[in-house]
Amino acid sequence: MTNQDDQFKKVISHAKEYGYVFQSSEIYDGLSAVYDYAQNGVELKKNIRDYWWKAMVQMHDNIVGIDAAIFMHPTTWKASGHVDAFNDPLIDNKDSKKRYRADVLVEDYVGKLDAKIEKEVKKAEKRFGDAFDKDQFLATNPRVLKYKEEGEAILKRLGKSLENENLADVKALIEELDIADPLTGSKNWTDVKQFNLMFGTKLGASADSAMDLYLRPETAQGIFVNFLNVQKTGRMKIPFGIAQTGKAFRNEIVARQFIFRMREFEQMEMQFFIKPGTQQEWFDYWKETRYKWHQSLGMGADNYRFHDHEKLAHYADAATDIEFKFPFGFKELEGIHSRTDFDLKQHEEFSGKKLQYFDHEENRSYVPYVLETSIGLDRMFLAVFSNSLVEEELENNTTRTVLKIPAVLAPTKAAVLPLVKKDGLPDIAKKIVDDLKWDFNVDYDEKDAVGRRYRRQDAVGTPFCITVDHDTLDDNTVTIRHRDSMEQKRVKISALRDIIKKEVDVKEWLMKM
């Protein structure tokens, strides 16, 4: 087993053990690729959503939010192209009877080339020490350049074949690369076929009159069909944006890698409506702005990279992904797409209603262009969680497992611990909890020795532990311990709120953008 696999297994088991993510319907042996967010997971998820919403809506005068319904008129999906073209290429292995996404098999092969590049970098770092120049090495090392060139050529060919719907060439590429079934090693593949990802359902009381509906496969269309409603009622002037977070549903062929690819998931999307011809400047603006938002969380610049699309959707004139280094390699976390006027024009055509903006400055009407930012909330959750989970060697030859979640996102901000369960210490600790919980999510923990409680709170990801001891009775001071440094300080009870606020306040974090 590779280190990556090992780390990922630790992430999955830690998520369950500490109340972050459970398998859905586990007592009935679960449901494939469907997960429930547990008591700590739901708080982390909410905090990520709020952090995005504040940066996207609250801090922009010209962006507002909506919450569109999951059910939409079925013609919506005809207009958007999902009925006819929302497909993934699938391939079956004849021996294992397992089904895979053909494009993912090829991308995973390229991911192995990336891993080889990283291995070369690590070897060189060891060899050259402080004198090592990573950028120069990546730009000049023949072996690295060979891997890079090979990976780019493969992805280019894959993109072209998918664009031209040349599925025979996708299969040929899999065979040429000698890609085997990851489970059995078999290379006995079927032809590649297209598979529609939408979940169908019915609306209506009787089978005869029921209307065929779909569970929405994305949240964006709810924004497009409400474009004029929001623009008029909000008296919005272009450029302006509409943001939305919500559930989407896709019947994924190969839903795997824990919560990375699920059948029921949540998106955080913003559609920014702009004047035609200004799309390049807004594409650059949102690319930079969204990258800064990710960086504000301090999860390491090396863990992010941009990946420009080789294969553009037929309506797009620019697209890039912000990729994150998950335990299984760099994968898409957020997409930034210049969608031109495709969506609004399609809905105009299929609905027979005008979806245009009257520009008073130019004294003319036009269909706006759209710049989209779209991030998976579950993927962001996985990025934060997997990046935060570390095992540290301590000075006394012991190790601790700590979840170094950015404090602004941590489910519980502080745990209050009475040193012993007597002498009035629990009463003081509970009074501190009652006071702090107006501002923060706070935990009270009195079970086990205090050292063991520290370890438990480290593993849950709580940034602060506040210990009430016998000195507290005399001078109203407590010990506050920082999760990441394990540093302990004696402070007044009255100072606790300000100390915690400085570390967990959204403003303090977003100001880093």
Side-chain angles (χ1 to χ4, degrees):
M1 187 189 290
T2 68
N3 280 349
Q4 282 187 339
D5 291 340
D6 199 30
Q7 176 61 16
F8 196 33
K9 284 197 165 164
K10 283 179 185 166
V11 164
I12 295 167
S13 78
H14 197 89
K16 181 179 180 186
E17 187 181 348
Y18 288 93
Y20 277 88
V21 183
F22 299 149
Q23 174 75 50
S24 178
S25 319
E26 190 180 30
I27 62 168
Y28 295 104
D29 297 327
L31 198 57
S32 170
V34 185
Y35 291 90
D36 298 334
Y37 285 87
Q39 66 274 22
N40 288 315
V42 76
E43 294 289 343
L44 174 55
K45 200 177 185 194
K46 174 186 169 292
N47 293 345
I48 294 170
R49 192 190 293 112
D50 288 349
Y51 194 68
W52 180 87
W53 193 267
K54 281 188 173 163
M56 188 59 86
V57 180
Q58 203 168 313
M59 301 310 294
H60 285 93
D61 300 338
N62 60 346
I63 298 177
V64 293
I66 66 163
D67 183 6
I70 285 168
F71 292 135
M72 299 185 74
H73 192 284
T75 311
T76 305
W77 306 111
K78 193 80 183 149
S80 67
H82 284 81
V83 171
D84 299 319
F86 191 52
N87 303 313
D88 271 348
L90 68 84
I91 191 167
D92 292 330
N93 187 277
K94 292 175 186 174
D95 297 325
S96 71
K97 306 289 185 278
K98 289 285 179 192
R99 180 163 282 181
Y100 297 94
R101 263 181 62 174
D103 56 335
V104 170
L105 285 175
V106 175
E107 284 164 9
D108 285 351
Y109 178 91
V110 174
K112 286 174 185 162
L113 295 177
D114 288 340
K116 285 180 179 176
I117 290 173
E118 209 154 293
K119 218 173 183 180
E120 294 294 332
V121 169
K122 285 210 164 77
K123 275 190 336 205
E125 266 173 350
K126 226 176 197 174
R127 197 161 64 241
F128 297 115
D130 293 342
F132 181 62
D133 182 337
K134 187 178 175 183
D135 291 336
Q136 192 188 350
F137 181 79
L138 289 171
T140 56
N141 181 272
R143 203 169 281 173
V144 166
L145 292 173
K146 180 178 158 286
Y147 291 141
K148 242 190 202 165
E149 209 176 292
E150 188 185 342
E152 282 166 10
I154 290 166
L155 292 178
K156 199 166 194 170
R157 178 172 160 191
L158 176 69
K160 211 167 192 152
S161 300
L162 291 173
E163 199 173 348
N164 299 330
E165 292 189 30
N166 185 355
L167 301 181
D169 190 58
V170 177
K171 185 189 182 187
L173 181 58
I174 286 170
E175 289 175 337
E176 283 169 38
L177 296 173
D178 216 23
I179 293 174
D181 176 352
L183 287 176
T184 62
S186 163
K187 296 171 190 172
N188 190 7
W189 297 109
T190 64
D191 290 339
V192 179
K193 296 186 187 77
Q194 291 287 21
F195 175 81
N196 193 284
L197 301 176
M198 282 200 294
F199 281 109
T201 186
K202 300 268 185 193
L203 176 70
S206 76
D208 302 336
S209 61
M211 179 191 269
D212 285 323
L213 284 194
Y214 299 100
L215 296 182
R216 67 180 180 196
E218 64 176 28
T219 57
Q221 300 306 321
I223 295 175
F224 296 133
V225 300
N226 279 301
F227 157 71
L228 221 46
N229 286 337
V230 172
Q231 190 270 315
K232 285 184 171 170
T233 56
R235 296 182 301 154
M236 309 296 291
K237 283 186 174 174
I238 275 182
F240 75 91
I242 303 175
Q244 170 166 225
T245 73
K247 287 284 181 89
F249 305 84
R250 294 180 184 179
N251 193 11
E252 293 282 1
I253 302 160
V254 191
R256 60 194 177 120
Q257 292 169 323
F258 192 34
I259 58 171
F260 180 80
R261 182 173 277 115
M262 296 192 291
R263 295 191 164 98
E264 176 185 334
F265 57 96
E266 196 164 341
Q267 291 181 308
M268 305 189 291
E269 296 199 314
M270 193 278 300
Q271 308 296 329
F272 199 66
F273 299 93
I274 56 177
K275 193 183 289 186
T278 63
Q279 63 267 36
Q280 186 59 54
E281 90 188 57
W282 284 114
F283 182 73
D284 294 341
Y285 170 82
W286 283 111
K287 193 174 162 179
E288 186 185 350
T289 302
R290 293 304 304 143
Y291 186 73
K292 281 181 179 169
W293 180 85
H294 287 283
Q295 291 301 311
S296 72
L297 290 166
M299 296 204 298
D302 283 357
N303 289 322
Y304 293 89
R305 71 183 187 191
F306 283 109
H307 171 69
D308 294 329
H309 284 213
E310 280 290 340
K311 177 202 171 196
L312 286 175
H314 60 92
Y315 52 79
D317 61 6
T320 193
D321 294 333
I322 295 174
E323 294 186 332
F324 185 79
K325 192 179 178 189
F326 290 95
F328 40 82
F330 275 100
K331 295 280 181 185
E332 179 192 350
L333 180 56
E334 174 160 11
I336 296 136
H337 311 118
S338 176
R339 298 179 70 118
T340 68
D341 56 6
F342 171 80
D343 301 281
L344 293 179
K345 276 196 166 160
Q346 285 291 103
H347 288 303
E348 267 195 343
E349 186 188 323
F350 279 78
S351 69
K353 310 278 193 318
K354 276 199 166 179
L355 293 174
Q356 299 192 0
Y357 173 78
F358 183 74
D359 192 322
H360 288 278
E361 286 172 24
E362 297 196 0
N363 200 28
R364 70 182 180 102
S365 290
Y366 54 79
V367 176
Y369 272 40
V370 173
L371 217 293
E372 170 184 74
T373 74
S374 175
I375 176 171
L377 175 50
D378 309 273
R379 287 189 180 188
M380 188 65 200
F381 183 108
L382 184 58
V384 169
F385 192 89
S386 60
N387 187 67
S388 301
L389 184 61
V390 289
E391 281 185 14
E392 289 183 343
E393 297 281 338
L394 303 179
E395 284 171 10
N396 59 0
N397 289 328
T398 61
T399 61
R400 71 164 181 155
T401 299
V402 55
L403 201 54
K404 293 189 174 182
I405 293 174
V408 67
L409 302 180
T412 303
K413 304 306 186 196
V416 185
L417 327 171
L419 190 64
V420 290
K421 283 193 265 185
K422 57 183 184 178
D423 304 334
L425 301 188
D427 296 335
I428 296 172
K430 283 172 183 169
K431 193 173 178 308
I432 292 170
V433 169
D434 287 343
D435 185 41
L436 291 178
K437 72 183 179 189
W438 288 95
D439 297 291
F440 315 109
N441 204 7
V442 186
D443 186 24
Y444 173 80
D445 191 357
E446 64 175 20
K447 190 178 179 294
D448 298 326
V450 77
R452 191 173 278 185
R453 282 180 272 170
Y454 282 159
R455 286 288 172 273
R456 186 159 60 233
Q457 295 297 336
D458 287 345
V460 171
T462 308
F464 294 104
C465 283
I466 297 157
T467 305
V468 177
D469 57 24
H470 292 94
D471 288 342
T472 310
L473 299 167
D474 301 327
D475 59 11
N476 275 332
T477 65
V478 289
T479 299
I480 188 163
R481 172 187 180 269
H482 287 251
R483 176 196 67 199
D484 296 351
S485 63
M486 297 194 294
E487 183 191 354
Q488 300 187 22
K489 269 186 187 166
R490 201 79 195 166
V491 301
K492 288 276 185 196
I493 290 174
S494 57
L496 286 171
R497 178 180 281 98
D498 288 342
I499 291 168
I500 297 168
K501 188 175 190 296
K502 192 172 184 329
E503 294 288 330
V504 306
D505 191 49
V506 170
K507 183 180 178 184
E508 297 286 337
W509 287 75
L510 284 180
M511 289 287 277
K512 297 177 196 171
M513 278 179 71

